[in-house]
Amino acid sequence: MNEKIARFLAERRVETPFLVVDLDVVEENYQALRAALPDAKIFYAVKANPAPQILQRLNSLGSNFDTASVVEIQDALAAGATPDCISYGNTIKKQSDIAKAHALGVDLFAFDSEAELAKIAESAPGARVFCRILTSGEGADWPLSRKFGCEPEMAFDLLVKAADMGVVPYGISFHVGSQQRDPLQWDAAIATCAKLFQDLEHRGIMLRMVNLGGGFPTRYMKDMPTPADYGQAIADSMRNHFGNRIPETIIEPGRGMVGNAGVIESEVVLISRKSASETKRWVYLDIGKFGGLAETMDEAIKYPLTFDRDLTAEGEAVVLAGPTCDSADVLYEKEEYKLPLDLAIGDRVRIGSTGAYTTTYSAVAFNGFKPLASYYI
Ligand code: PLP
């Protein structure tokens, strides 16, 4: 945990659970991605954390914004972004929302199906469109495959059709899966993009843009390759597959932009055992899956834990759970989360790297618990 957040936590003993985000870390992440991929335009994936303070800071740095809904478009505009800096990147949009986005000046839309392309052509005539292709999601802790994207052959047909439907076939996008541990996972998708560029050029369609998506990881329990490692691997792939005709490139980092900028402070509500002979303790926190830690689903994302006082006794495996009356609200059971034996009810547990995908997953008053409070410093 960095000093700024540590000071905030020491000085402000506000009611738990809450998230605190250091905006300077967000800025450092932005600059690191900038330096690692100097030729790519950054479109921050607003869904990772749409707090106005984050959007304003990124807007002041020159970021663009990838949005998933009209509300996220409005959030980006409210933070000072202009519509030409906003992409509507969700492949599943209501017709009325496409019309609203277009009326707000947004001109760049994602699709992965003929029906979605038809909706865009009808409600955003003249807009630039990009087609999302499938990826395997291999190497990612939070894969996004299957639900999004289409086969390259279909992308080809749809981009040919787009030109006849009054929209501009602008590019191709993909997402290699969130928290992607392997910088080489972009290569196969970039190769597919280059092939599509070439095939479409033969049909007289000149695409302009490759959207490399998100996937850039944050550090949870283990060190990850650096942004520079990802930048190098991607630059090599772009050169190998596009030669000296490298198109405009976009990246859409979410987790890698804000994940390590935040810490959630929570409190131990109960420590118990299920029988006298049971050795494993159950530790219940005042935050769980429905309070913002949804990404513990299947124990996919493993957050690091620290405490607000020195705990000395040896760690022992526990089941870590949330406070709601839902049996699905268990955070870690399989993973050997070893917590100190002198951990007590009332101790504060700090959950690291929680700047991304937490506040927005927090339910409004499930079981009467308040949505996750957040502070931006
Ligand atoms: N772009 C799109 C279209 C997404 O759906 C997502 C995440 O779901 C992102 C970008 C951000 O991905 P990440 O948080 O892995 O950077």
Side-chain angles (χ1 to χ4, degrees):
M1 188 189 320
N2 75 25
E3 251 179 55
K4 199 168 149 199
I5 292 184
R7 214 174 321 119
F8 176 91
L9 294 177
E11 287 167 5
R12 301 268 302 271
R13 298 288 286 185
V14 287
E15 194 190 347
T16 62
F18 62 86
L19 167 72
V20 54
V21 171
D22 182 348
L23 295 167
D24 293 334
V25 175
V26 176
E27 178 161 342
E28 279 163 27
N29 291 335
Y30 178 86
Q31 302 296 9
L33 286 162
R34 260 262 60 85
L37 291 127
D39 298 324
K41 272 192 185 171
I42 297 179
F43 281 66
Y44 169 60
V46 174
K47 60 178 76 68
N49 189 325
Q53 297 90 333
I54 291 177
L55 302 185
Q56 283 158 15
R57 176 69 71 102
L58 288 172
N59 183 60
S60 75
L61 295 169
S63 184
N64 303 277
F65 298 92
D66 159 55
T67 61
S69 64
V70 171
V71 168
E72 286 193 356
I73 291 170
Q74 287 164 336
D75 288 348
L77 291 170
T82 49
D84 57 307
C85 296
I86 297 173
S87 156
Y88 198 164
N90 194 341
T91 51
I92 306 148
K93 303 175 282 302
K94 282 187 180 172
Q95 183 105 46
S96 56
D97 285 344
I98 295 169
K100 281 182 202 157
H102 196 52
L104 288 168
V106 174
D107 169 50
L108 188 58
F109 293 82
F111 71 95
D112 64 4
S113 65
E114 185 161 3
E116 188 72 12
L117 176 61
K119 282 193 254 171
I120 300 168
E122 189 176 327
S123 295
R128 294 171 297 156
V129 295
F130 57 94
C131 187
R132 181 160 169 178
I133 55 170
L134 283 160
T135 64
S136 70
E138 206 184 311
D141 285 340
W142 192 261
L144 298 166
S145 54
R146 236 166 51 75
K147 180 171 173 185
F148 310 103
C150 62
E151 293 291 348
E153 299 72 30
M154 183 179 266
F156 175 90
D157 291 342
L158 294 178
L159 286 161
V160 169
K161 280 195 176 138
D164 294 332
M165 293 169 85
V167 287
V168 180
Y170 194 67
I172 303 166
S173 73
F174 61 85
H175 195 303
V176 292
S178 199
Q179 189 68 6
Q180 175 54 259
R181 287 172 270 110
D182 178 6
L184 299 178
Q185 287 294 326
W186 273 259
D187 186 64
I190 290 173
T192 305
C193 290
K195 170 100 176 43
L196 277 166
F197 265 62
Q198 219 174 44
D199 293 349
L200 284 158
E201 191 174 345
H202 292 143
R203 289 287 291 263
I205 292 171
M206 305 290 288
L207 296 182
R208 305 255 163 257
M209 180 273 285
V210 172
N211 179 337
L212 304 163
F216 306 96
T218 201
R219 188 187 190 288
Y220 292 106
M221 302 283 244
K222 293 183 185 144
D223 280 338
M224 286 288 133
T226 64
D229 296 330
Y230 288 84
Q232 189 60 54
I234 287 171
D236 290 347
S237 292
M238 291 298 287
R239 212 173 314 106
N240 286 343
H241 300 299
F242 281 95
N244 57 5
R245 298 180 68 201
I246 293 182
E248 174 190 337
T249 51
I250 280 178
I251 56 169
E252 296 178 340
R255 189 185 303 279
M257 189 78 90
V258 293
N260 66 341
V263 174
I264 286 175
E265 179 135 295
S266 66
E267 192 179 294
V268 177
V269 179
L270 177 68
I271 300 177
S272 66
R273 294 175 204 273
K274 297 295 171 193
S275 72
S277 58
E278 166 86 68
T279 51
K280 210 164 187 179
R281 288 167 300 159
W282 282 68
V283 175
Y284 301 89
L285 301 178
D286 60 1
I287 184 169
K289 276 204 163 73
F290 306 101
L293 302 178
E295 289 199 324
T296 57
M297 204 185 298
D298 297 329
E299 307 196 10
I301 298 295
K302 298 173 183 68
Y303 296 109
L305 305 180
T306 52
F307 310 97
D308 70 332
R309 65 183 179 103
D310 284 336
L311 295 168
T312 48
E314 193 188 335
E316 248 189 22
V318 300
V319 179
L320 193 64
T324 63
C325 298
D326 189 318
S327 59
D329 194 7
V330 172
L331 303 175
Y332 301 112
E333 188 165 19
K334 293 199 293 281
E335 273 303 311
E336 294 266 294
Y337 265 81
K338 291 199 166 87
L339 299 192
L341 279 167
D342 50 353
L343 182 72
I345 291 171
D347 276 338
R348 290 191 166 205
V349 177
R350 288 158 180 174
I351 309 169
S353 293
T354 37
Y357 305 116
T358 50
T359 51
T360 41
Y361 273 131
S362 154
V364 177
F366 180 54
N367 281 208
F369 293 106
K370 283 188 239 154
L372 183 59
S374 53
Y375 301 88
Y376 298 86
I377 58 175

